[in-house]
Amino acid sequence: MAHAAQVGLQDATSPIMEELITFHDHALMIIFLICFLVLYALFLTLTTKLTNTNISDAQEMETVWTILPAIILVLIALPSLRILYMTDEVNDPSLTIKSIGHQWYWTYEYTDYGGLIFNSYMLPPLFLEPGDLRLLDVDNRVVLPIEAPIRMMITSQDVLHSWAVPALGLKTDAIPGRLNQTTFTATRPGVYYGQCSEICGANHSFMPIVLELIPLKIFEMGPVFTL
Amino acid sequence: MAAPPEPGEPEERKSLKLLGFLDVENTPCARHSILYGSLGSVVAGFGHFLFTSEIRRSCDVGVGGFILVTLGCWFHCRYNYAKQRIQERIAREEIKKKILYEGTHLDPERKHNGSSSN
């Protein structure tokens, strides 16, 4: 989860998120250099003694400041598109989970190996145990195995919601009447938090998502099916 | 205000953010690129000044040198970093396969020894 006042991305828990962090670093370096150049140009503008009022054009400079941004945009777009197509790869998921957004909770359905369906509500502050996270912990977590491709089918029963887990690099809109699909493979066990990411009413901020990722051996023993 | 590291976890280095957003300490290759860029900037700018004695133009050359050297080092370092990550991933998968299949007919070492003896 994010710590207080965290601005940067969370540590990656899936290969896609690792790629996203790499791309973010790449774009940020380009942005830094552009900002540096702009600050220098501003400094020059403020300290110049050149006051020629008869300048009418500057063809060479105009050519440079047209072509250079185009090159920079290509340098940013190519890795971006690579990751975009990577996120759309579907690699034979082992498990399919359905996630249905409601006002203001999530319903999860494990229908591959039985008919497990449960709701996931945020824990109200009065029900928090010591160590629980306020506004993030839920009564029933989504328990999933690591190192297995998982398919999430996401929809909504009422208004728009969005199912997001930043550590996995996931954010998929839950749209009523539409089934959206996202796949992921988690690489590390742990508990990962997310929050609804599409405004959906009064309690939009109070319908978190919690994934509990456990080793496949333990998942196969069936802890998730003992609810 | 970072969360305290768990016992046994390596401590995250104190972040230094250039222009308020580029975390030089915790971004791979950033510190290396910026340092070499600064060195390149000083060499190019000072070298130009020594030859021409023009201050403003030398500053422009210095800034241009910083940008070019930083970008060059950045791409070079990130390319090597990506290659290293791929090699680490391959090594991790091979170790996992070895542990999982050791002694069975799927043992990668047995397959490899079989093909080399043929």
Side-chain angles (χ1 to χ4, degrees):
Chain A
M1 55 159 282
H3 53 77
Q6 178 170 341
V7 176
L9 299 169
Q10 295 181 29
D11 289 342
T13 305
S14 69
I16 295 286
M17 190 58 193
E18 288 174 18
E19 295 293 330
L20 284 169
I21 290 173
T22 304
F23 172 70
H24 173 263
D25 293 343
H26 167 73
L28 215 58
M29 178 55 81
I30 293 176
I31 290 166
F32 168 75
L33 292 174
I34 292 171
C35 285
F36 182 78
L37 185 65
V38 167
L39 279 173
Y40 181 65
L42 186 61
F43 169 74
L44 286 181
T45 310
L46 293 172
T47 56
T48 188
K49 292 190 179 85
L50 298 171
T51 51
N52 184 354
T53 53
N54 294 324
I55 296 175
S56 57
D57 62 6
Q59 295 285 0
E60 301 82 7
M61 192 161 59
E62 290 188 10
T63 308
V64 168
W65 76 30
T66 305
I67 295 191
L68 197 57
I71 295 172
I72 291 170
L73 285 174
V74 168
L75 282 180
I76 295 173
L78 289 180
S80 172
L81 288 171
R82 178 180 152 265
I83 297 174
L84 182 66
Y85 285 101
M86 207 186 284
T87 57
D88 270 345
E89 285 172 4
V90 180
N91 44 2
D92 192 21
S94 314
L95 192 60
T96 300
I97 313 287
K98 293 177 200 64
S99 168
I100 301 158
H102 303 263
Q103 283 178 310
W104 289 279
Y105 61 97
W106 294 95
T107 300
Y108 298 103
E109 296 183 7
Y110 289 64
T111 47
D112 278 0
Y113 306 104
L116 175 65
I117 302 176
F118 61 91
N119 295 332
S120 181
Y121 283 85
M122 184 191 83
L123 282 180
L126 287 174
F127 288 84
L128 290 173
E129 304 275 322
D132 283 348
L133 298 167
R134 192 180 75 94
L135 306 185
L136 283 176
D137 266 313
V138 297
D139 52 0
N140 299 314
R141 295 172 174 171
V142 185
V143 181
L144 294 170
I146 60 168
E147 292 175 348
I150 295 164
R151 177 197 280 130
M152 294 293 304
M153 305 297 294
I154 298 159
T155 186
S156 168
Q157 197 256 334
D158 39 44
V159 299
L160 293 179
H161 300 274
S162 187
W163 196 83
V165 182
L168 289 162
L170 297 175
K171 186 179 292 180
T172 306
D173 284 353
I175 299 167
R178 181 185 169 88
L179 210 54
N180 280 332
Q181 174 183 286
T182 187
T183 55
F184 66 93
T185 305
T187 52
R188 305 185 287 144
V191 181
Y192 301 99
Y193 296 88
Q195 291 176 288
C196 179
S197 299
E198 186 66 44
I199 188 77
C200 55
N203 288 342
H204 156 67
S205 310
F206 309 114
M207 50 181 294
I209 298 128
V210 183
L211 298 189
E212 185 173 330
L213 300 173
I214 58 178
L216 185 59
K217 268 192 199 161
I218 300 174
F219 183 82
E220 284 172 344
M221 282 162 21
V224 72
F225 300 111
T226 57
L227 285 172
Chain B
M1 203 168 77
E6 301 285 316
E9 242 185 45
E11 263 195 47
E12 206 181 76
R13 282 180 282 186
K14 206 172 163 188
S15 66
L16 166 67
K17 293 191 176 173
L18 293 182
L19 293 183
F21 61 83
L22 183 69
D23 189 346
V24 164
E25 291 297 328
N26 294 313
T27 304
C29 295
R31 185 172 162 270
H32 168 266
S33 303
I34 296 290
L35 283 175
Y36 273 102
S38 307
L39 183 66
S41 157
V42 166
V43 165
F46 191 61
H48 187 272
F49 176 72
L50 284 178
F51 279 105
T52 61
S53 299
E54 288 173 17
I55 298 174
R56 285 189 91 90
R57 184 57 71 202
S58 300
C59 287
D60 296 345
V61 168
V63 167
F66 172 76
I67 291 170
L68 288 172
V69 173
T70 302
L71 262 182
C73 285
W74 173 256
F75 281 121
H76 176 75
C77 181
R78 292 296 283 198
Y79 175 75
N80 289 335
Y81 180 70
K83 259 199 332 196
Q84 187 192 346
R85 273 181 61 212
I86 291 169
Q87 284 165 357
E88 281 171 7
R89 186 170 50 84
I90 292 171
R92 238 191 342 260
E93 307 239 337
E94 290 300 314
I95 292 170
K96 241 192 261 182
K97 260 196 230 168
K98 173 75 184 163
I99 293 169
L100 214 51
Y101 297 124
E102 191 169 21
T104 68
H105 66 286
L106 293 168
D107 189 347
E109 208 166 285
R110 187 183 286 188
K111 277 190 189 171
H112 174 72
N113 289 342
S115 60
S116 59
S117 63
N118 289 340

